[in-house]
Amino acid sequence: MSESNAPTGTAWWRHAAIYQVYVRSFADGNGDGTGDLAGVRDRLPYLRELGVDALWFNPWYLSPMADGGYDVADYRDIDPMFGTLAEAERLIDEAHGLGLRVIVDLVPNHCSDQHVWFRQALAAGPGSPERERFWFAPGRGENGELPPNDWQSYFGGNAWSRTTEADGTPGPWYLHLFAPEQPDLNWEHLDVRAEFESILRFWLDRGVDGFRIDVAHGLAKKPGLPDVGPDPDVTDLPYQDCDAVHDIYRSWRKISDSYPGERAFVGEVWLPTPTQFARYLRPDELHSAFNFEFLCCAWEVDALRSVVDTTLAAHRPVGAPPTWVLSNHDTIRHVTRYGRADTSFDMGDKRLGDPSDPVLGRRRARAAALLTMALPGGVYVYQGDELGLPEVQDIPDHLVQDPTFVRSGGLDRGRDGCRVPLPWSAEGGSLGFSPAGADARPWLPQPADWAEVAVSVQHADPDSALALYRAALALRRERLVPLGEGFDWVAAGPGALCFTRGGGFHCLVNFSDEPVGLPADSVVLLSSSPLVGGVPGQRVVPGDTCVWFTTG
């Protein structure tokens, strides 16, 4: 690997700025309206110039796309929609050549109903060894017509589907905590354990630097698959955070540690308490996990201070670095969230109908970006964050593709609004997403006004969101990462937060309508919005603004 964007001297994953690439919506290289590996390879210099350290790719595996690629039919091959395995190998090498590390998504909780194992299981029939790799169970009721338990799918509806046997008779049920096309794997089965250890080695041998683990808290289930019941304890659900999951990650950690170059795991861990969360980050398990408490937090001074304190306290005993993330492929883009009256986020109620002030949302999003990049640990940038893109809330019903839309009877419009293809230029029917002259429309429609926030437009604007991200990521790498993971709050008055990372560096965020003055000896490094004059010799920070400065 050539010289990385990140400084040496400490494990890269402790402080990396990681860019999330949702391949289908990043860039279209072959002109068919769908993002692909050719498009990503063409845009690697853009990502290098942005200043990130690593790229996380959402699933690029062979898939029927019942859930955007999270229904995997073959974990060792690339879906033709995106390219080929050889092309993925070239992408990894080319990214390394630019100093960018590569993290790939791993989906171990479930596979596709088109996976060879599940097709074999259906063909083999009830009681067969092939079915033991999944969760098949007889139904309840006089004729087995009721599901085996009361579990509900995350996508809405029952978590069980009944099979039909070769002779046409109703058979047992199978578990799918997500869509019916995504049968849950049985991690009590040795075949499943061995298969995923082999998959890890397959991609590690091809040079990937890490894995993002989908539904990392959900692999193990309680023995007997008991009912949740009418009044469940959210800290003790039978389908998540079961003790057996930790043995899986301890075995995976031994594999990753056997490879050179500091390979890393990051977990998607949605759990109700910091104590549960931190258990996944013990020294012999995962290296890091997404900080969803921070992502869901309202843009409020007390709430954000509390979640920062809670995050740092949870990570400290296990020696793991925190991560900071504002948006991803499953959530409402934070530009839209921060323009609402209620700026918090709840995965169970996305409130897509809530009005949002785009000007206020963009201002707060700029401030939030500087806040996250100033905090100790790693930071994630979801593609389009650097352009200040909002959520697209008016996709026509007949174009919505997220399975949650159908499973919820249209009550939940799903996650397509944060997955709309990126605008690269102000011209053309796809705003530069597809090559010039390509006739295919993007797989999801782009708003016409996105021409105003295209990369080509923002590249030439020193006050753009893109310019802010580039400047912040460069300063973060140069000034903050060498400071380590030190952190201390500094008094800033009501309505504001201020902290220091040492070395004279400070970050101040003003959440109030009242301006906050900077110390007289401060030297401003970067601000999310223009500062204004105060008393002679002093500058003040207006509301919904973050500023980086040094003193001393």
Side-chain angles (χ1 to χ4, degrees), residues 58-180:
N58 286 101
W60 53 20
Y61 311 110
L62 185 67
S63 169
M65 298 292 161
D67 181 27
Y70 282 92
D71 49 318
V72 181
D74 188 340
Y75 292 85
R76 296 178 180 84
D77 202 2
I78 302 298
D79 195 275
M81 173 188 295
F82 302 133
T84 65
L85 178 59
E87 196 167 12
E89 292 169 343
R90 289 195 294 272
L91 190 159
I92 294 167
D93 290 342
E94 290 166 0
H96 285 170
L98 292 172
L100 298 167
R101 298 180 187 267
V102 174
I103 297 169
V104 298
D105 228 309
L106 190 64
V107 189
N109 179 72
H110 49 264
C111 63
S112 167
D113 61 355
Q114 298 305 304
H115 191 284
V116 63
W117 276 6
F118 195 71
R119 289 190 281 112
Q120 290 172 346
L122 292 180
S128 63
E130 289 84 354
R131 291 199 174 185
E132 294 176 1
R133 296 165 172 160
F134 301 91
W135 295 105
F136 283 86
R140 297 190 287 197
E142 183 177 352
N143 298 303
E145 72 277 8
L146 300 177
N149 64 27
D150 63 356
W151 296 4
Q152 297 296 296
S153 164
Y154 288 111
F155 286 172
N158 202 280
W160 295 87
S161 287
R162 196 171 191 183
T163 61
T164 300
E165 301 304 336
D167 61 2
T169 60
W173 300 67
Y174 71 90
L175 176 67
H176 54 84
L177 284 173
F178 293 87

Side-chain angles (χ1 to χ4, degrees), residues 294 297 299-313 316 324 371-372 374-376 485-493 495-502 505-511 546 549:
F294 184 82
C297 186
W299 183 252
E300 297 172 2
V301 60
D302 292 337
L304 276 165
R305 175 161 182 157
S306 176
V307 77
V308 170
D309 283 339
T310 300
T311 296
L312 296 178
R316 196 173 295 119
W324 312 99
L371 169 61
T372 59
L375 290 164
E485 297 172 17
F487 177 92
D488 288 294
W489 292 112
V490 176
L497 293 179
C498 185
F499 59 85
T500 179
R501 294 283 305 280
F505 175 87
H506 292 72
C507 174
L508 185 148
V509 189
N510 183 9
F511 297 85
C546 180
F549 64 95

